[in-house]
Amino acid sequence: MTYRPDKASLDTRPIPRWYQDAKLGVFIHWGLYSVPAYADPEAGDFESFMNDLTAMKDTRGDIPYAEWYLNALRVPGSSTARHHARTYGESFPYTGFRRQFDEAAADVDFGDWARFFAGAGAQYVVMVTRHLDGFPLWPTSVPNPHMPADYRASRDLVGDLTKAVRAEGLRMGLYYAGGIDWTFVDKPVRTMPDLMEQQALGPEYARYAAAQWRELIDRYEPSILWNDMGWPAETDQHELFAHYYDTVADGVVNDRWTQLSMPRNPIGRFLYLRFIGATLRALAKSGKKPPVKPPAFHFDVETHEYSCPEDVIPRPWELTRGLGTSFGYNAQETRADLLGAADLVHLLVDVVSKGGNLLINVGPDGEGRIPEIQQEPLRELGGWLETNGEAIFGTRPWERTRAVTADAHEVRFTSRDERVYAVVLGDVGPGPVVVRDLTLPSGTRVGLLGGPGDLVWTQRGADVEIALPAQPAPAHAHTLTIIR
């Protein structure tokens, strides 16, 4: 064993360079929940859900995430429960979606998916192997004590997608909801105490989750262990990490391996919930990690959800989000609810300027099709990266992250070796581009990716004026190269 199964030993392991260079990944949420494809359109977004949860409000199961369908279905009178009764009948069980999902999944061409992801510029893919509904997408040999043996996908969806993704030269990561499994509990999550209680499912569940994660590692050797919703206290995740690093030498582990444990004492419970509520509200509002002591477990990558940090984080990190307000496919969402191509380009540039990766989610529908309204912005992102990828892949933050032009376009900076990239977030021209509060040394060369290698520039006080040879074609963002 290369590393001991403890935090001190695992923390000495360097972060693999490939992850820090990759910058763009695609997340895939696809499962039984993709068949009903419903979340309450009035449920708001992730921030409003977190605000309600951490304010100790009863959410009544209303959450914008369609992959939480089973949870909302368990709340009598919820929007999802009413929708389910109208559409499928009150007696139709969630497990009844399996037949339609299996039949459709048998015919999905994962080569098409993988080629699409590669064309969008993604360097890696992360697939949800089991979400909170407990339905595995691979032929697991680990028995679930609460479900029949066939409660899993008939086809090895994890294995087949892994092969297709790697055939395109991309890396494959796997997601597993290690902290919670709704097949082990029949109570829905409505409040923060519910969430905390469901992260304590006992030793039987702990053995089950650890065995499934180990099976995924041994069978598929994923480049990323993407855990979610915490980890059972009865098992030590460091033992799993040590085995993983011995199996996948350049693998990376995310940071969602801790759980919220609540005191049993009523007064302690009240005070703890107040503290957790205040902490999580601050996190949801600012996108920053509140100043707390370092976590008592090892991880490689810090994950942020929907809220992008304001500044550079001095360790590998990622921002993950859906194109809309849901990760699983929600048929209620329209094109207006999703990021457009310009929004997606600007988001990627902003994240990379702060040293992060963007893990953008797609939610295939119940037939295994990636909806066109999700494909469109990703295709345009891929086209933009064909010209501007040099300013993204393999870069690191510069000495500053941002500036603004005289016509109020935001600018983000990245760097590689002696080159600095200034990405103007918007379409420029006609006329010169003036970058405010930027001083360039004499002899600096300035160019335009996709255009001339040398542009005339002039230092005008604290600003730099850069002459463009013509108005560039619309592209959502334009990259100036600066060689000092």
Side-chain angles (χ1 to χ4, degrees):
M1 181 176 289
T2 306
Y3 298 95
R4 296 189 309 276
D6 60 64
K7 182 179 187 301
S9 176
L10 295 170
D11 281 354
T12 66
R13 179 179 179 271
I15 307 297
R17 183 184 177 96
W18 76 262
Y19 184 85
Q20 296 172 282
D21 290 345
K23 303 307 179 188
L24 178 63
V26 170
F27 215 174
I28 305 170
H29 279 65
W30 185 50
L32 298 187
Y33 45 81
S34 305
V35 177
Y38 180 87
D40 183 0
E42 303 299 322
D45 55 19
F46 175 73
E47 182 176 352
S48 63
F49 169 73
M50 286 299 297
N51 284 340
D52 287 347
L53 197 65
T54 56
M56 306 307 156
K57 293 182 180 179
D58 183 346
T59 65
R60 293 189 51 77
D62 291 333
I63 179 172
Y65 291 171
E67 65 273 20
W68 281 54
Y69 187 92
L70 175 58
N71 183 77
L73 181 60
R74 289 175 167 178
V75 179
S78 70
S79 173
T80 297
R82 297 194 304 272
H83 168 82
H84 187 86
R86 289 193 306 267
T87 309
Y88 307 104
E90 291 185 0
S91 62
F92 187 86
Y94 181 77
T95 54
F97 293 124
R98 184 195 161 183
R99 179 178 176 182
Q100 182 176 339
F101 178 79
D102 260 351
E103 289 176 352
D107 296 326
V108 173
D109 184 343
F110 289 123
D112 283 347
W113 283 21
R115 285 186 289 274
F116 171 65
F117 301 150
Q123 304 297 296
Y124 60 97
V125 173
V126 178
M127 181 189 196
V128 171
T129 67
R130 178 187 71 71
H131 209 268
L132 304 179
D133 62 357
F135 186 74
L137 299 191
W138 80 100
T140 179
S141 59
V142 181
N144 184 326
H146 302 285
M147 299 299 289
D150 64 352
Y151 186 67
R152 60 174 178 79
S154 297
R155 178 182 175 185
D156 185 0
L157 304 176
V158 176
D160 290 349
L161 180 60
T162 295
K163 291 175 186 175
V165 164
R166 288 173 175 164
E168 291 297 317
L170 311 183
R171 288 181 177 263
M172 186 69 183
L174 300 181
Y175 166 112
Y176 183 85
I180 296 177
D181 186 326
W182 292 326
T183 66
F184 282 73
V185 62
D186 58 6
K187 180 182 177 182
V189 174
R190 298 175 59 151
T191 64
M192 179 61 76
D194 292 337
L195 180 63
M196 297 168 78
E197 288 171 2
Q198 290 198 17
Q199 288 184 317
L201 296 177
E204 181 184 53
Y205 173 70
R207 290 190 295 270
Y208 174 78
Q212 284 206 322
W213 244 141
R214 195 174 183 104
E215 183 180 60
L216 289 167
I217 292 168
D218 293 344
R219 188 173 296 183
Y220 306 111
E221 299 186 359
S223 292
I224 303 171
L225 289 195
W226 215 105
N227 192 72
D228 201 12
M229 306 303 294
W231 186 247
E234 293 84 358
T235 62
D236 186 353
Q237 62 266 59
H238 297 109
E239 295 179 359
L240 191 69
F241 298 165
H243 172 68
Y244 173 57
Y245 291 148
D246 278 343
T247 305
V248 183
D250 60 354
V252 297
V253 173
N254 78 332
D255 65 345
R256 294 189 170 186
W257 295 80
T258 190
Q259 65 177 158
L260 303 174
S261 55
M262 187 161 49
R264 296 184 182 275
N265 178 291
I267 296 177
R269 181 186 178 108
F270 172 74
L271 294 175
Y272 185 74
L273 285 173
R274 287 192 64 183
F275 167 75
I276 289 294
T279 299
L280 292 181
R281 281 195 297 276
L283 176 61
K285 182 177 181 180
S286 70
K288 297 180 180 180
K289 295 282 186 181
V292 296
K293 64 181 181 179
F297 66 96
H298 165 81
F299 65 91
D300 297 315
V301 177
E302 184 178 300
T303 299
H304 294 247
E305 190 162 332
Y306 273 90
S307 295
C308 188
E310 288 296 318
D311 299 304
V312 173
I313 295 178
R315 66 168 301 133
W317 68 276
E318 69 180 353
L319 173 71
T320 188
R321 60 158 295 160
L323 285 164
T325 58
S326 179
F327 284 88
Y329 174 57
N330 183 3
Q332 310 303 306
E333 289 187 332
T334 68
R335 185 174 276 99
D337 298 314
L338 273 61
L339 294 176
D343 300 319
L344 187 55
V345 169
H346 296 180
L347 177 63
L348 175 63
V349 174
D350 186 44
V351 167
V352 173
S353 74
K354 298 165 185 173
N357 288 13
L358 175 61
L359 182 61
I360 191 70
N361 182 81
V362 297
D365 65 17
E367 298 297 315
R369 301 169 300 204
I370 301 173
E372 181 62 24
I373 61 173
Q374 296 181 32
Q375 290 193 40
E376 288 175 359
L378 283 163
R379 275 199 298 266
E380 288 199 46
L381 175 63
W384 184 84
L385 286 168
E386 287 181 4
T387 299
N388 298 274
E390 179 184 326
I392 301 297
F393 303 118
T395 63
R396 298 292 184 270
W398 190 43
E399 60 193 37
R400 57 188 285 196
T401 62
R402 65 186 66 195
V404 66
T405 66
D407 53 356
H409 286 307
E410 290 286 324
V411 178
R412 296 292 183 271
F413 296 101
T414 64
S415 68
R416 182 196 292 110
D417 302 324
E418 78 283 2
R419 288 178 180 259
V420 175
Y421 301 96
V423 187
V424 181
L425 304 183
D427 286 310
V428 297
V433 174
V434 177
V435 181
R436 299 290 195 194
D437 300 315
L438 178 65
T439 300
L440 299 182
S442 176
T444 295
R445 295 176 57 195
V446 177
L448 179 70
L449 289 184
D454 287 290
L455 301 174
V456 176
W457 64 273
T458 305
Q459 190 73 48
R460 300 195 181 281
D463 306 333
V464 170
E465 180 180 287
I466 302 166
L468 300 178
Q471 182 174 0
H476 307 310
H478 300 271
T479 304
L480 299 165
T481 62
I482 300 171
I483 306 175
R484 300 189 297 171

